[in-house]
Structure formats: structure tokens, C-alpha cells
Amino acid sequence: MKTENIVVVLDHPDESRNIGAACRAMANNGVKILRIVGERENYDEERIRILAIHAFPIYEKVEFFSSITEATKDCAISAGTTRRRGKKRKEKLFLPEEFASHVSPVSENAKIAVVFGNERTGLTDEQFSQCTVGVTIPSCPDFASLNLSHAVQIILYALFREISQNLTGFTPITLDRIDISVNNICNNLQKIGFFHVTGRDDMERFWRSLLARSAMSESEAQYIEKVFSKAAGLIQSKSAEESKNI
């Protein structure tokens, strides 16, 4: 993992100045890739420049996307930030230091996305479901909401400190590639009647989250696909043989 491959994703930020402040936080930690879910015309470049100051070149290279899924599809891991816990908020929420340690084995060739929600609402359940892991920053329950740029600074600093230890690792597959594996797994499960068509969405979300957290290599993804394909083939062959003998 290296700072050049950390991606900051802001989902429909409200205030242009907060984008500028987030750019400064990124620059403090050597992070240069900014992506925004939203429309460019909704933001005032001059207001962004005022807060970004010398970090404005980060915004000049910003890319805009229609969804978190699109903004993170070339990443190996996408971490949604949240202060809320609940059934739809992942099984585990990492603290910033835990998240940094979790992704530290990832190769310097793979991108890691950190996703921040709107200043007023944070990430909705639907937006959060598009991320593969969750990160939370502990704060006083009497005033738990953090300024957007402060949250960006805290999490990126934890990653920066981890990276400074010069850890190396392997290259996990991207989320786009994981979706291919998920489709393969669910197709084979559906062939053997493991679930009804109406249960497929939940199954796909489960496998996408699980496989992304595991940070698989390409060879591991192929092996898992072969296991499910072979299992489905064996079960179908057995069912066909039993039907002949009836």
C-alpha cells in the first residue's frame, strides 16, 4: 500500500469549502486522488480554492461519478465511514488504526478507497452497502458528528502512519473483478436450488462484502469459482442420475 493509491471519495458533499478543506487534509498525508459522487456544476471552484490553498491541484484532477460503486470499481477495498452502528452497518466497524493495519498487507499496486458521506446525513444505508468495510471514529456522544475535513484528516493520518512503516504485500483483485466471482458463485448456487431468485440480492451482497474483506488474489478468486462450478456440476449430475433410476 502507498499513499499514491489511496482514493478519497466524497458522496454528494454539501459545502464547496469543505471540499477545499478535505483537499488540504489529503495533501497533508500525501494523498492525491479525489473522486466525488455528484455533479461538477453543483460546486463553486473559487470557494474550494479558498480553503484548499496550495492543495487546489488535487481538486483540478477530481473525477465525478454517479455512484459509490462506479467511483470505487477499480479499488481492492472501499471503506465507508460512519458514526452509526446497526444491522445494516457491517458486522464490524474498524477504528482508523485498525483499518490501517487491516489494509497494510495490500500491495502498493492496489487502490484503497475511503468513502465519506454528506456533511448533514453521512452515508445512508444504501450508500454504505456499496462499501466493503466500515470505519468509525470514536467521539463524544454528546457531539459525535465530525467536520468532513477533520474525518478525512484522522483516517488518512492513520493510513499515512501505517504506510511509513514501509510494509509490502500482494495485489488483491479489484471490486469489479470481485463482482465477476460473486456472479459466478450465485449462478452456481441458483442452479442447484440453494435459494429462490428473490433471495439473490442478499446473497450477492454477502459474498461481495466477504470476498472484498479477504483481499483475494486473482488465483484465489479463480480457485473459489472452480469450487462452486464443480460442486454445482456434481450435484446436477447426481440429480440427473437419480432421475434415470426412478
Side-chain angles (χ1 to χ4, degrees), residues 212-232:
R213 290 202 308 275
S214 69
M216 297 189 303
S217 65
E218 175 62 31
S219 61
E220 289 172 327
Q222 291 178 12
Y223 188 82
I224 288 176
E225 290 171 5
K226 288 179 181 177
V227 169
F228 278 89
S229 295
K230 187 170 183 179

Side-chain angles (χ1 to χ4, degrees), residues 80-85 93-97 134-138 155:
T81 57
T82 182
R83 64 182 175 85
R84 302 193 302 275
R85 297 179 182 271
L93 294 178
F94 290 104
L95 298 177
E97 298 82 4
V135 184
T136 190
I137 302 171
I155 293 178

Side-chain angles (χ1 to χ4, degrees), residues 97-164:
E97 298 82 4
E98 293 174 332
F99 173 64
S101 178
H102 176 71
V103 300
S104 64
V106 173
S107 165
E108 62 181 21
N109 297 317
K111 289 186 175 70
I112 304 296
V114 188
V115 185
F116 299 87
N118 174 275
E119 297 93 318
R120 292 179 296 103
T121 62
L123 294 174
T124 65
D125 287 345
E126 191 279 327
Q127 291 166 341
F128 197 71
S129 70
Q130 296 176 60
C131 302
T132 57
V133 297
V135 184
T136 190
I137 302 171
S139 56
C140 176
D142 293 335
F143 200 79
S145 181
L146 291 172
N147 176 275
L148 175 60
S149 64
H150 294 173
V152 172
Q153 182 70 264
I154 290 169
I155 293 178
L156 294 189
Y157 179 67
L159 290 169
F160 178 79
R161 286 295 302 271
E162 186 71 28
I163 290 169
S164 68

Side-chain angles (χ1 to χ4, degrees), residues 46-62:
E46 285 309 307
R47 293 171 73 84
I48 293 170
R49 188 191 300 272
I50 290 170
L51 268 292
I53 310 178
H54 298 302
F56 188 70
I58 291 176
Y59 183 76
E60 290 180 312
K61 296 180 180 179
V62 68

Side-chain angles (χ1 to χ4, degrees), residues 194-240:
F194 186 81
F195 55 83
H196 295 294
V197 176
T198 53
R200 179 159 178 151
D201 287 346
D202 288 338
M203 185 65 69
E204 287 181 344
R205 281 192 291 271
F206 168 79
W207 280 105
R208 189 175 194 264
S209 177
L210 182 66
L211 296 182
R213 290 202 308 275
S214 69
M216 297 189 303
S217 65
E218 175 62 31
S219 61
E220 289 172 327
Q222 291 178 12
Y223 188 82
I224 288 176
E225 290 171 5
K226 288 179 181 177
V227 169
F228 278 89
S229 295
K230 187 170 183 179
L234 289 173
I235 292 172
Q236 287 181 316
S237 296
K238 184 177 180 181
S239 297

